[in-house]
Amino acid sequence: MSQPVNEDPLDTPLQFLKGVGDRRAADLARVGLHTVEHLLFRFPLRYEDRSRMLPIASVRPGTRASLTGRLVHAGLRTTRRRGFMIFEAILSDDSGSIMLTWMNQKFLANVLKAGQHLVVYGLAEMKGHGGLQITNADFEILDDEEGGETLHTGRIVPIYERAGAVTPKQQRKLVFDALHRLPPDMRDPLPEEVRQRRGFPTRYAALHATHFPPSDVDLETLNIFDSLAQRRLKFDEAFEFQLGTVARRRLALAEQKGGTIVVTPQIRETAKRVLPFKLTPGQFNALKEIVDDLQKPHPMNRLLQGDVGAGKTIVALLAAVVVMENGLQVAFMAPTEILAKQHFATLSTLLVTSRFRVALLTGSTTAAKRRQYLAEIQSGAINLVIGTHALVQGDVLFHRLGFVVIDEQHRFGVLQRATLREKGLHPDALVMTATPIPRTLALAMFGDLDSSSIRDLPPGRLPIKTRMIPDARRDEMHEFVRSELQAGRQAYVIYPLVEESEKLDVKAATEMADTLQQQVFPEFTVGLLHGKMKNDAKDRVMKAFAAGQIHLLVSTTVVEVGIDVPNATVMVVEHAERFGLSQMHQLRGRVGRSQHQSHCLLVYQTPMSAEAKDRLSAMVETTDGFIIAERDLQLRGAGDFFGTRQAGLPTFRMIDLDRDGGLMDEALQDAEQSFALVVRTPHDISELLRSWSARFRLMEVG
Ligand code: ADP
Ligand code: MG
């Protein structure tokens, strides 16, 4: 078989490599390696310096050594164990000699012969015979290698992760052969101008130097993937990713929204009348950025970040008023029914004197009511609809939908936009989140989303006092809670969800509620809330807690998002060591909502891992959600920040978001600058986005 001409050499099937027959090809295919590209972009896990040759006499037992010398003896030896063979050889240089043995590798008898010049690498150990010995050494016969270039020894050697039947050594050999088939003038995806300005080697040179680094490159640098060649390849990936981001932004700019929005002095007045207090500077700025966007011809796609209690709702409502004043409808979505109801209560109260009609549409809306609402939404009689995901997913038809607000769930928010677009709707969209997303992640996940942040809190809030309490001293916690309840305040006790068994969790929470009610706080009313309860039961409990009839609410993490009961001043987190940092911060945000001093008590079991300790300490040290988010990212790493992969983090081959944020920024600048050079036609854009989505397996964003 000869290789077809004019094809990208990276697309060459691996069968074309030396020594890859059907069987080896099948082994490679099983682990996802089909083409030269797959092989060459499976980078070493780490590197080992095997370049410094030691005189044999200076080898110390217990160390790994690279040696070179001549074989003075080589032969098979049988042992007493039947069928077990040892191949023995003696390697000599001017300084001395050492024994080499290989277990059960009979074929070596046909490979290694006395007189050959060898380079070996391996662990030297003291053996029974009193001399040094290396067992199963990596070796290369120099006389047979063209130009004396070694792969596995005598250099900085790449160590690959074993993949199925393909050993690290085999991959090394394959990579070496593949590299030598590449034409030095192979296609380079980086514009020449960018490459030169950044002082990067060509892609060809970078691939060579990444797999088989020249001996003058620092080993440490290689092992943190930061040599110039490695940076060049990481930059390629970042650049490719950012081209997609830029493409999406440009497409979004070209998109037209349904209706135009203007802001007149009269509209400003109406909005002011809705406002029950003065906005903080942070709220004011965010609102300004949003309203500026509303007046643009393309749909807004904006993230509003702000700590729990920062007052995002009112900002969204004021923007909604502007939109409704322009004759367009608004959909306001919350992740749970409880939250939807709460928003409905807040928003309909604020809008009570306005001419706008507000409706709540959820899973528990009766069929008759639902039918009525659907008709009124379709006719435009209802201006603002509040609900859960179902709002845009189901059969709801809007008269003129102009603005979508998505609360507390950026992941879901991102998906909703795609759904809306499929329905031919192009409303402005505002996604609100109380879990600030560290900048690097935000860029990678939502590079095409604009972002506003509220970093201040409404005036008069007392910072929440947080402390850690070991489980053994829970009496202290009980006494503290009692004193707050006696002062007329309310408290939460949160139980963690252990994913394996929701049943067990519910049982733990239920038992906890019983114990607290009967044995600890008989004089108060203890309530229970968990995910397995029916909606109306949950509702009753929440209402009773909001009304102050329940003093202490035991709950699983369902209260995590958005619940607003200002009189609650104590948040007890049980098994705090099991919670993620951001999640604890969210929970803490349930208190600190009034003029009363609030407290967060983190009850933990010992012993606790160092990481858990770090998390709890971070909680004690700061109440700033933006700092918490950065700490959380450091502690968990990007992959785990949102808990799961489906969170929409792109899959990178080389980029590590914890480490390569700076590179991503630089690549974004270059992608912006040279976009027109790389992407010339609308066809190019759609091609780019297609391969981009496939490559980074991102869910539909924006
Ligand atoms: P979040 O950002 O967590 O969604 P909310 O919008 O629920 O916060 O606001 C928290 C509380 O703060 C609400 O009770 C709200 O009425 C109040 N609030 C918001 N902004 C201000 C402000 N500028 N001045 C006083 N109170 C405010
Ligand atoms: Mg909120």
Side-chain angles (χ1 to χ4, degrees), residues 409-447:
Q409 230 176 0
H410 45 267
R411 263 155 71 186
F412 149 68
V414 152
L415 282 174
Q416 290 316 312
R417 275 187 50 79
T419 315
L420 286 168
R421 240 192 344 236
E422 272 162 28
K423 288 188 179 178
L425 297 169
H426 303 273
D428 289 303
L430 184 68
V431 177
M432 308 200 285
T433 173
T435 312
I437 305 168
R439 218 188 85 80
T440 357
L441 286 193
L443 253 176
M445 291 177 67
F446 316 110

Side-chain angles (χ1 to χ4, degrees), residues 638-690:
D640 289 331
F641 186 78
F642 296 105
T644 56
R645 240 168 203 259
Q646 323 135 20
L649 267 187
T651 47
F652 292 113
R653 304 197 270 220
M654 288 195 90
I655 293 284
D656 173 346
L657 289 172
D658 305 342
R659 182 184 69 186
D660 300 321
L663 204 81
M664 289 287 278
D665 276 352
E666 289 172 25
L668 179 58
Q669 283 165 26
D670 283 354
E672 291 270 11
Q673 261 176 43
S674 40
F675 189 76
L677 236 127
V678 186
V679 183
R680 292 163 200 273
T681 64
H683 176 73
D684 284 351
I685 290 208
S686 52
E687 269 306 295
L688 171 84
L689 284 177
R690 198 202 331 265

Side-chain angles (χ1 to χ4, degrees), residues 308-309 312-313 339 342-343 407-408 432 434 561-562 590 593:
V308 270
K312 296 182 291 292
T313 318
L339 280 174
Q342 199 174 285
H343 277 315
D407 193 22
E408 303 284 9
M432 308 200 285
V561 273
R590 297 305 112 227
R593 301 182 153 242

